[in-house]
Every structure is written in structure tokens, then in C-alpha cells.
Amino acid sequence: MSNLQRRDFMVTGLAATTAALAGAARAAAQEPSGGPIRGKEGASILGPTNPSREAQSRDRLAPPVTDHGTLPNLKFSFADTHNRLQPGGWARQTTHREMPVATDLAIVNMRLKAGAIREMHWHKETEWGFVVKGSMRVTAVDDQGRAFQDDITEGNIWNFPTGIPHSLQALGGDGCEFLLLFDDGDFNEDETFLLTDWLAHTPREALAKNFGVPEEAFAKIPKEELYIFPADVPGPLEKDRVTGAGPVPKSYTHRLMDQKPVETKGGRVRIVDSSVFPATTAISAALVEVEPGGMRELHWHPNSDELQYYLEGRSRMTVYASESSAGTFDYQAGDVGYVPRNMPHYIENTGDSLLRYIEVWKSPWFSDVSLRQWLAFTPYELVRAHLGIDRSVLAPIQVHKTPVVPA
Ligand code: MN
Ligand code: MN
């Protein structure tokens, strides 16, 4: 080997060592999640990797040892949905199409700029709404011609039963953003019955005959649907109020934030079903707040699938699906979670700030079975024969529900 060759070899060798070190550093940097490694199991990723996504699903990448078997996907982020942009705002949805397990419930996330209108419409599904930010006006007319209008703000809800025509409009400030829940996973926000679309596809002479006026009265009807469109911020509701055939028998809105929560050391829960909001015919929900380290206790729902929407914070949920199958999923703000009926689960705050999310069920009443109550209210010797736990484990468990347990 000539000196020149030797020098080349040494430089190449040094370069190779440097490259290897850089590679290791890069691998570490690319796996802020810690990579698919759990104790002595697993190994680093050699091929392509998506560090930010992997960090968001730490418990999928390196699952707890208790996870086993095959579960359906129980997480979908609104960040991955198609967003329909309109002059007045936007709308995106997570349905059975995005998340095949979601057969019972679908969710829409919608934003309206100040004054913007989600046009007058109706649909087959029941609509349950939750104001995420801002304030808005909702209107409806029922099958008896009774009218409803109300202005609502952040954290409050509405419910329009199947077929009841309604509208949504942002008030002042920065407008509003809200969630719409539907009692059918196949719901499609793009397939609702729209006032403008209907009348654009009705012969003018039929419209004229219907209202007993000349056809020219309908000259300005849009040729295409408006869906979400800009408009002026409306004036005070008291000036615009219409009563029609009288007030609706049950208010279509509910002040959830005025409701006293079930408070525990680990957080608080506001449950809204037909017992406190009689207009709710198909959907019930809970607004859950879990302090850092706290947990929504181990439980299941005998009456419905559960859909979750995460408003703030970080969490993980393990779902047990019988036959030794269990899977753990991580969530953060903007994610949707789903749990099939009767499958037990917990939701743990894994962040260092408040975890806030809503649980929604396709049922007019709230129902959950608590593992703690089940065990505490079964003869002790029977429980001990199964689990060998001491009586003291079950002694503090109370007869009233404590949905959130502390750290
Ligand atoms: Mn609607
Ligand atoms: Mn639940």
C-alpha cells in the first residue's frame, strides 16, 4: 500500500467512523420517543421513520407488556382528515370512513368566522353540538311549527332531533368553533338536506304555487348550495326573536358549564343526558377534566360505543377486548378516540397539564360500570378467591360514583 493509498484508507476509515457516529446520533435524534424498545425487547428502527408521529403514539411503538392480540384502530386525528374550506370557515369530519370501528357515532369539527352561517338544513341523524370556542346563535323550527332561537357560548351544548331543521351562526369576536356529534358512524356532513340546494332543484312554478306569489319572487335563489357562507354578525337576539306556533316544549340547548360537576381529588366530570337535558333523544355525553397524574377509572359502558374528542392535554387509554386482547393508544388535543360497547377502558393523564376531553354515547342516558364498585359490592371472599387482594383495597370505595381517581 503506497503512502497515498494508506492516507486515503485512513481518511476513508475515519470518515466511516464519523459517519457511523453521526448515524447513531441521527437515530437517537430521530427517535425522541425512545424507539421501539422496551427493556430487553425490541430494537431501534433502521429504515424510514417518522419521529414526530412515533412520539405521538409511544404506546403503539413500544406497547405495555400487557398489550396483546389484534384490536381495531381506536385513534384518528383531525389533522389527517380532509378539510372543506369555505369563504365563511371550514368543516372536517371523522366518521366510519376514516375510522372503520366507528359504526355508531360520527364527529364533525367546524369553524365559522364572525357572522358566518352554516346554512339552514336538516338530516336523518340526531345532531348533538358542543361549543369549543367563541359564541354562536342556533335556530330551529319543529314539526308543530314551534320556533327556537338561542345564543350559546363555550362549553355549552345543543341537540336537534332527527329531521328538525336548524341553522348555526357565529356571533362577534373571532367567531366560533364547535363539534357536531351524530348517532350514525356513516353520517356525511356533505350529504345533509340544504335549504338552497333543495330550492335550486325545485321548479320555480312549484315554488310560486307553494307560496301563492309570482315566480319572480324567487329570482335571487342561489343556483348552488351555500353550505358555509359569510354574513353580517346578527343583532341582539331579543330584536330578532320569532315564536311561530309557540315555544318548543323542551329547550334544544343546555348550559353544561352551569352544571355542578362530580368533583373528586383527581378531577371533575359533567355528565349530560336526558335526565338533565330532556331534549336529548339519542346522545349523552360527559365533559371530563383529569388533573396531571389522575385517571378516569377502569370502567365500561353497557349501552353504547363511546366516542372521545380531546380538547387539551395528553392521555393514554388501554382497551381490553376479551380473548386476551388489549391495546393501548395515546391521544392529544384534536384526536378522536373510540371504544366499542362493553369493552373496558381507563384514560390516564400522561401530561403535566390538565387533560380535558368529551366522552359521547349513542344513548339518551349515561351508563357505566365501575370496576371498583363491582369488586367492592361483591362478597369479599368471592373477590379474594379470584384476585387474592386484601380487603383494605376495597374498603374506601364509595357508593356514589367517583369517575376520576387521583394520581
Ligand atoms: Mn346539522
Ligand atoms: Mn368510557
Side-chain angles (χ1 to χ4, degrees), residues 121 123 127 166:
H121 71 283
H123 28 75
E127 170 176 314
H166 54 277

Side-chain angles (χ1 to χ4, degrees), residues 318-393:
T318 301
V319 175
Y320 163 64
S322 82
E323 294 186 284
S324 301
S325 294
T328 303
F329 297 81
D330 303 286
Y331 303 91
Q332 63 188 72
D335 288 347
V336 176
Y338 202 88
V339 187
R341 179 175 173 163
N342 283 315
M343 289 191 188
H345 50 283
Y346 67 86
I347 293 160
E348 185 180 10
N349 184 344
T350 51
D352 47 19
S353 61
L354 185 71
L355 169 68
R356 205 159 166 265
Y357 69 97
I358 58 168
E359 306 176 354
V360 183
W361 303 280
K362 181 182 173 174
S363 166
W365 71 93
F366 168 77
S367 169
D368 80 349
V369 178
S370 153
L371 171 67
R372 296 159 79 235
Q373 289 195 333
W374 181 32
L375 299 186
F377 308 153
T378 295
Y380 170 66
E381 283 304 324
L382 185 60
V383 177
R384 193 188 57 80
H386 288 79
L387 304 177
I389 55 177
D390 195 81
R391 194 187 285 272
S392 63
V393 174

Side-chain angles (χ1 to χ4, degrees), residues 20-302:
L21 285 171
R26 195 167 57 242
Q30 281 177 350
E31 291 176 21
S33 58
I37 296 164
R38 185 185 56 210
K40 289 188 172 138
E41 292 178 300
S44 66
I45 297 173
L46 294 179
T49 178
N50 187 334
S52 59
R53 294 302 286 267
E54 284 150 10
Q56 287 181 18
S57 287
R58 184 77 189 90
D59 288 296
R60 299 264 89 202
L61 191 67
V65 288
T66 42
D67 276 12
H68 181 260
T70 306
L71 259 78
N73 175 44
L74 301 177
K75 172 183 174 176
F76 203 89
S77 176
F78 267 111
D80 288 329
T81 60
H82 165 73
N83 204 353
R84 184 173 173 190
L85 306 188
Q86 297 273 285
W90 49 256
R92 48 188 182 171
Q93 57 185 349
T94 298
T95 70
H96 177 58
R97 293 172 292 282
E98 285 74 26
M99 205 184 195
V101 71
T103 52
D104 272 4
L105 292 151
I107 182 169
V108 170
N109 179 205
M110 193 178 290
R111 165 85 162 101
L112 299 176
K113 291 196 274 197
I117 296 168
R118 163 61 169 99
E119 85 159 272
M120 296 166 74
H121 71 283
W122 74 100
H123 28 75
K124 292 172 288 184
E125 301 79 4
T126 287
E127 170 176 314
W128 186 98
F130 177 90
V131 188
V132 174
K133 290 281 178 200
S135 57
M136 55 195 289
R137 177 165 300 172
V138 298
T139 78
V141 174
D142 78 2
D143 58 339
Q144 305 296 313
R146 295 172 294 203
F148 180 81
Q149 303 105 34
D150 197 12
D151 290 347
I152 51 172
T153 56
E154 187 171 330
N156 292 320
I157 61 175
W158 69 87
N159 186 91
F160 296 129
T162 172
I164 296 297
H166 54 277
S167 70
L168 311 169
Q169 182 174 21
L171 297 176
D174 200 15
C176 63
E177 187 178 326
F178 49 88
L179 304 171
L180 305 171
L181 274 297
F182 299 93
D183 59 344
D184 183 349
D186 273 331
F187 174 83
N188 188 349
E189 175 63 19
D190 296 330
E191 292 175 0
T192 62
F193 297 102
L194 301 175
L195 174 65
T196 56
D197 192 45
W198 178 29
L199 298 196
H201 294 91
T202 302
R204 285 280 164 84
E205 62 267 28
L207 288 177
K209 191 182 287 185
N210 190 67
F211 290 93
V213 296
E215 284 185 34
E216 299 80 70
F218 300 100
K220 290 181 184 165
I221 288 184
K223 290 188 176 60
E224 288 178 347
E225 67 180 48
L226 292 173
Y227 184 51
I228 291 174
F229 62 101
D232 294 333
V233 174
L237 181 54
E238 287 322 309
K239 253 182 74 192
D240 285 351
R241 195 175 284 288
V242 187
T243 46
V248 295
K250 298 167 185 170
S251 173
Y252 287 134
T253 53
H254 177 72
R255 265 59 180 175
L256 182 60
M257 299 317 290
D258 293 349
Q259 205 176 301
K260 196 169 139 31
V262 180
E263 188 90 36
T264 68
K265 277 191 189 125
R268 62 211 59 80
V269 180
R270 288 177 175 85
I271 296 163
V272 53
D273 67 4
S274 52
S275 68
V276 293
F277 182 24
T280 281
T281 49
I283 291 177
S284 53
L287 175 63
V288 184
E289 294 177 354
V290 185
E291 298 294 341
M295 193 172 93
R296 171 79 168 93
E297 67 167 343
L298 287 156
H299 68 280
W300 71 91
H301 306 277

